[in-house]
């Protein structure tokens, strides 16, 4: 049985594929009479036309929920509002939101769950036994964790919270539908902890520069994703420092900025 049909959820994927967006940004329509939109995606007319048409077929739009403020999830907000009318836009911190959400808040059929890590303002949304994970969990591959006080500890705690939910499906911000939620969430948690173990071992061997640590711990990452790996490395180093486990003399190197993906 189709888990999306069972939960009355529809996917509209934007035509913006890339190394960070995978097959494209996923926009989700939840329920009907009217429906709710999770992440309108980029400002691409074809995508927004399809999203608005599918929403009209489901009885219109009651509100728009944003998992986080990155442009590939939010740039389409204005264009979608032009197509469907003035409806509330809910987010944790995005400046264009008209409704502010915090952990545990409800927005229509959606319950907000704080899931920081990829972005400080990141939320996941629970509707029944379906989770809209944004960029906290992707359909395939892993996510980068942005350096921020407590970011990696918060991300690992969020994964544990999500693992405790009784889920049928995860609807990610990019990539295919996840039909084995518990296995995927455990894989994400274990992957991040394995990176930490490998990083601690590399530091124990005396490696201290960004290039050395990336070369040892993220050796499997393709070159196009190496800047994102450098961002995640910084978050791992922050966690070790917060826990008093970071040795002296670590040269973090330059930190690329990835605020739009």
């Amino acid at each position: 049985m189709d888990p999306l049909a069972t939960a009355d959820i529809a996917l509209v994927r934007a035509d913006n594929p890339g190394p960070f967006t995978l097959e494209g940004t996923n926009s989700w329509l939840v329920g009907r009479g009217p429906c709710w939109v999770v992440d309108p995606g980029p400002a691409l007319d074809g995508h927004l036309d399809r999203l608005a048409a599918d929403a009209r077929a489901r009885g219109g739009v009651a509100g728009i929920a944003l998992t986080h403020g990155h442009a590939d999830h939010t740039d389409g907000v204005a264009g979608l509002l032009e197509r469907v009318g003035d409806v509330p836009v809910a987010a944790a911190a995005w400046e264009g939101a008209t409704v502010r959400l915090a952990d545990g808040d409800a927005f229509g059929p959606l319950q907000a769950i704080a899931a920081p890590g990829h972005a400080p303002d990141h939320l996941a949304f629970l509707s029944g036994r379906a989770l809209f994970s944004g960029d906290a969990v992707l359909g395939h591959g892993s996510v980068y964790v942005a350096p921020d006080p407590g970011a990696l500890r918060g991300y690992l705690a969020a994964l544990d919270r999500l693992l405790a939910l009784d889920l049928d499906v995860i609807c990610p911000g990019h990539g295919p539908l996840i039909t084995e939620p518990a296995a995927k969430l455990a894989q994400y948690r274990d992957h991040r902890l394995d990176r930490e173990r490998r990083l601690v071992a590399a530091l124990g061997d005396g490696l201290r520069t960004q290039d050395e640590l990336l070369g040892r711990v993220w050796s499997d990452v393709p070159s196009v994703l190496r800047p994102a790996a450098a961002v995640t490395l910084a978050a791992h180093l922050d966690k070790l420092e917060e826990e008093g486990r970071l040795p002296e003399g670590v040269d973090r190197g330059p930190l690329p900025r990835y605020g739009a993906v």
Side-chain angles (χ1 to χ4, degrees), residues 7-87:
D8 203 9
I9 296 167
L11 165 64
V12 181
R13 178 172 290 147
D15 186 18
N16 64 331
F20 295 99
T21 55
L22 306 181
E23 293 88 345
T25 301
N26 294 335
S27 298
W28 301 96
L29 302 175
V30 186
R32 63 183 65 235
C35 69
W36 302 75
V37 178
V38 178
D39 287 349
L44 299 176
D45 284 337
H47 172 67
L48 295 175
D49 287 343
R50 292 193 306 274
L51 191 58
D54 288 359
R56 282 193 292 271
R58 298 171 78 90
V61 174
I64 298 169
L66 304 176
T67 58
H68 62 298
H70 289 172
D72 60 321
H73 296 259
T74 62
D75 274 359
V77 170
L80 184 60
L81 290 174
E82 291 174 359
R83 290 163 169 81
V84 304
D86 188 19
V87 299

Side-chain angles (χ1 to χ4, degrees), residues 180-234:
E180 296 184 1
K184 175 65 76 170
L185 289 164
Q187 174 192 353
Y188 259 57
R189 179 198 59 198
D190 293 347
H191 170 74
R192 193 53 52 210
L193 293 175
D194 181 62
R195 290 285 194 217
E196 180 177 283
R197 285 191 291 268
R198 294 170 62 185
L199 176 59
V200 169
L203 292 167
D205 288 343
L207 278 63
R208 290 292 183 269
T209 70
Q210 182 187 82
D211 284 344
E212 289 173 337
L213 295 170
L214 287 174
R216 170 76 69 85
V217 184
W218 279 266
S219 57
D220 57 320
V221 172
S223 59
V224 69
L225 296 178
R226 189 177 173 93
V231 171
T232 302
L233 166 61

